[in-house]
Amino acid sequence: MFQYIDLNFTLLEAINITRKLLLPFVFGLTLFSLTFGCGNKVTTRNVPVDLPESYSLPTGSSPMDSSWWMSFQDPELNRLVDSAIHHNLELKSSWFQVAQEASNVAIIASQRVPQVFLELQGGASRPAPDFVGGENTQLSLRTSYEVDLWGRIKQSKLAAENRLMATYLDYQTMGITIAGEVALTWFSMQAYQEQMNLIKEQTEYNQQILALIRTRFASGQVRGVDILRQEQLIENTKEEALAIQMEFKVLKNRLAVLLGKAPGMLNLSEEVQLPILSPIPNAGLPMELINRRPDIQSSFNQLEAADREVAVAISNTYPRLSFNLTGALRSNTLTNLVESQAASLTGSLLMPLFYGGRLKAETQQAKAFREVQLNAYGQTVLLAVQEVEDALVRENLQKEIIIKLESQLELAERAFNQLRVEYLNGSIAYLDVLVTLDQMQQLKRELVNEKLNLLLYRLSLYRALAGGFESPIENEENFSIQENTISTK
């Protein structure tokens, strides 16, 4: 419905006339809402999976700190994690994805307020006067506003806020992942360094035995093949040292990238040693993971956003009421522009009738996507509980594996010492000594690997239980999730 108002009418009169003309539409719209109801209700659901009351294995009593990597009491690790949180490029990129979503919330929220435009038009007509009913020059101020009758815009904004929160929680998850990757890489490097130190000691010891064998060979007490076998053992040990050195350098390059540096530009402490494992922390209850882990909370917010998008899709099938107000200065000449004024107010009621089934299909699509997110949320919860259970089981059994391996190593050392005495007495061949020596040295290197695995299993437990933590970029950029404002400078 449109009402044109010339100079003899005031703007207030124009509004009154338009209100009277639109009153039947508003009344009909209200009656429609009372008859058929509104489709923008948001569903509330509980966790879609059943969780156990407690974990299958007991845990410790001390609570886990949010800065869980500090529990390893490794100053170099603390420095590396701090550097990664400051400079890791993936983490920074994830932060600006949060900034994008914050801007998207502001864009959608702008639909809830009137849109105002200032327009200047000009033209010329020949011959004068110009076409009947037209003006060549016009300066107008236009505003449009959609009445959010069914909460479509509101639900769109709330869905955008849920996606913003989910992106922010993904950013926190990325921070946990980066800290975990730094710790994993650093511990692996420490283990490789211990392996290289151990191989260096074993090589020196094997060379001493080789010198002894050569002395006995010169006196005719042993065969020449014993020298060849010992030399083969030394070369095999050197080959393993080269392989370990290669992996160490690759890990160092990886660590440099995690810290936001180019490979080859990372300086590390020369003294490295695997840390001693602290007591296991209190894992709490499985239900507590839902409120603690940011990836679970992110999945929940994605579910809420999908639920609100269903409400938006349903609202799109209902009528839309919008108003447009225009105030203008119009004239055939620029000099007389301020002498002619006009105002218009229009209201429109748009009722979708036939879209070829598109609106219904969009609603079904939104509902199906909500079910996708619901099952994804349940799967995320299950995987979180599995990660905690797996870490507890692995650490518990890994401790027993290390005990058994230490027992094997003790037996191998006793057997070697006894065989060495028998060999020096000439009662046995050197092959028996060589086999036992190789087994003993392999067990020592394997023990280092198993101690590394124990640390990595504890690291997996920390990551499975970890909640979000504030990173320096949040404090520097004055982030406020409540106000949906994120600086992008």
Side-chain angles (χ1 to χ4, degrees), residues 248-351:
F248 180 85
K249 291 183 177 181
V250 170
L251 286 175
K252 186 176 181 180
N253 292 338
R254 178 187 179 189
L255 184 60
V257 173
L258 286 171
L259 271 57
K261 297 181 179 181
M265 298 183 64
L266 180 62
N267 295 321
L268 296 174
S269 173
E270 295 294 334
E271 296 182 2
V272 293
Q273 186 177 4
L274 287 174
I276 300 175
L277 202 60
S278 60
I280 193 169
N282 182 10
L285 301 176
M287 284 296 296
E288 293 177 351
L289 281 179
I290 297 176
N291 294 324
R292 181 191 301 148
R293 283 186 46 151
D295 58 334
I296 297 179
Q297 288 297 305
S298 173
S299 182
F300 177 75
N301 275 273
Q302 292 287 2
L303 171 60
E304 282 200 328
D307 207 17
R308 298 186 190 282
E309 290 295 346
V310 173
V312 173
I314 295 175
S315 299
N316 286 335
T317 63
Y318 293 157
R320 295 188 187 182
L321 177 63
S322 60
F323 295 95
N324 295 282
L325 176 64
T326 303
L329 302 175
R330 309 189 303 183
S331 176
N332 286 329
T333 61
L334 184 62
T335 56
N336 297 328
L337 183 63
V338 296
E339 298 179 1
S340 178
Q341 304 174 6
S344 67
L345 177 64
T346 61
S348 63
L349 182 64
L350 179 64
M351 176 65 186

Side-chain angles (χ1 to χ4, degrees), residues 201-218 222-223 226-234 237 416-417 419-421 423-424 429-438 440-441 444:
E201 294 177 2
Q202 291 176 350
T203 302
E204 292 176 354
Y205 182 75
N206 291 338
Q207 288 175 343
Q208 292 175 4
I209 293 180
L210 177 61
L212 176 62
I213 295 175
R214 284 176 175 169
T215 302
R216 292 175 62 84
F217 174 75
V222 299
R223 298 178 302 169
D226 293 344
I227 297 177
L228 297 177
R229 287 171 176 169
Q230 185 66 19
E231 289 178 343
Q232 181 183 1
L233 177 62
I234 293 174
T237 307
F416 171 73
N417 292 330
L419 289 172
R420 184 180 59 177
V421 172
Y423 170 72
L424 294 176
Y430 180 70
L431 181 60
D432 295 333
V433 180
L434 180 65
V435 171
T436 307
L437 175 62
D438 187 32
M440 182 183 67
Q441 294 181 346
K444 287 183 178 180

Side-chain angles (χ1 to χ4, degrees), residues 359-393:
L359 297 180
K360 181 179 179 181
E362 288 177 349
T363 302
Q364 295 300 323
Q365 182 186 49
K367 289 181 178 179
F369 183 70
R370 178 179 61 188
E371 294 302 314
V372 170
Q373 292 300 120
L374 176 64
N375 288 280
Y377 172 58
Q379 183 70 8
T380 303
V381 174
L382 289 178
L383 290 176
V385 177
Q386 179 191 353
E387 289 175 1
V388 177
E389 286 283 2
D390 290 348
L392 290 173
V393 169

Side-chain angles (χ1 to χ4, degrees), residues 149-266:
L149 293 172
W150 318 109
R152 181 183 65 85
I153 300 175
K154 176 184 177 181
Q155 294 300 330
S156 295
K157 178 177 180 292
L158 292 175
E161 289 178 344
N162 284 129
R163 286 191 292 268
L164 167 62
M165 179 60 74
T167 308
Y168 172 68
L169 292 165
D170 289 341
Y171 162 75
Q172 289 193 321
T173 303
M174 175 68 73
I176 296 173
T177 301
I178 295 300
E181 289 297 316
V182 169
L184 185 150
T185 306
W186 174 240
F187 290 153
S188 299
M189 291 177 63
Q190 287 179 311
Y192 280 132
Q193 186 63 54
E194 284 198 20
Q195 291 271 24
M196 287 189 289
N197 294 338
L198 182 59
I199 288 179
K200 182 179 179 181
E201 294 177 2
Q202 291 176 350
T203 302
E204 292 176 354
Y205 182 75
N206 291 338
Q207 288 175 343
Q208 292 175 4
I209 293 180
L210 177 61
L212 176 62
I213 295 175
R214 284 176 175 169
T215 302
R216 292 175 62 84
F217 174 75
S219 62
Q221 298 179 10
V222 299
R223 298 178 302 169
V225 69
D226 293 344
I227 297 177
L228 297 177
R229 287 171 176 169
Q230 185 66 19
E231 289 178 343
Q232 181 183 1
L233 177 62
I234 293 174
E235 293 301 319
N236 181 65
T237 307
K238 290 181 178 179
E239 179 189 357
E240 290 191 21
L242 291 174
I244 293 174
Q245 187 177 5
M246 176 182 64
E247 294 298 328
F248 180 85
K249 291 183 177 181
V250 170
L251 286 175
K252 186 176 181 180
N253 292 338
R254 178 187 179 189
L255 184 60
V257 173
L258 286 171
L259 271 57
K261 297 181 179 181
M265 298 183 64
L266 180 62

